[in-house]
Amino acid sequence: MVYARTQTGSDATAVFRREREIALNRDVQDARTLRTFFLSDTWLGDEAFCTVTKDADDPAHGVLGRFGDKAVYVDVPTRGNLTDGENCGRARRLANELR
């Protein structure tokens, strides 16, 4: 299942920066709840980063990108036969479609 969310408004930059900070500061050893962690910065729109959700039953890769006043988040199921970069690329392509 794919998850996608967009938010449009003058606060898109603040939303992006807040979500990036949250992802950066999560403890990757904390597996008690479904959590999305920062994976890497990436190119998409004005600014973007890739995420990874470390869940044994439902692993996912995602991307949060900002396009002016619009923030777009997409996550896709992780494909085990792909690298982190390739999985992130799948999410990035979908996020680009939602811009």
Side-chain angles (χ1 to χ4, degrees):
M1 179 178 290
V2 172
Y3 173 80
R5 184 180 96 207
T6 65
Q7 182 172 335
T8 304
S10 60
D11 63 340
T13 299
V15 167
F16 177 86
R17 294 206 173 120
R18 181 183 69 238
E19 293 301 321
R20 187 177 188 280
E21 192 66 25
I22 290 169
L24 275 168
N25 289 314
R26 287 204 170 123
D27 178 3
V28 295
Q29 301 305 315
D30 181 5
R32 292 173 297 168
T33 59
L34 183 64
R35 294 194 183 261
T36 300
F37 305 94
F38 179 87
L39 182 62
S40 64
D41 287 312
T42 191
W43 179 86
L44 182 68
D46 298 315
E47 52 189 345
F49 67 93
C50 293
T51 64
V52 62
T53 302
K54 297 182 178 192
D55 180 279
D57 297 323
D58 193 21
H61 280 74
V63 68
L64 176 64
R66 185 181 63 79
F67 304 88
D69 285 346
K70 187 174 191 177
V72 176
Y73 180 74
V74 170
D75 79 20
V76 296
T78 296
R79 289 190 182 165
N81 62 327
L82 300 178
T83 66
D84 282 335
E86 291 168 328
N87 277 301
C88 180
R90 294 172 52 235
R92 192 174 49 242
R93 286 188 294 278
L94 185 53
N96 193 48
E97 294 291 322
L98 296 173
R99 63 191 248 172

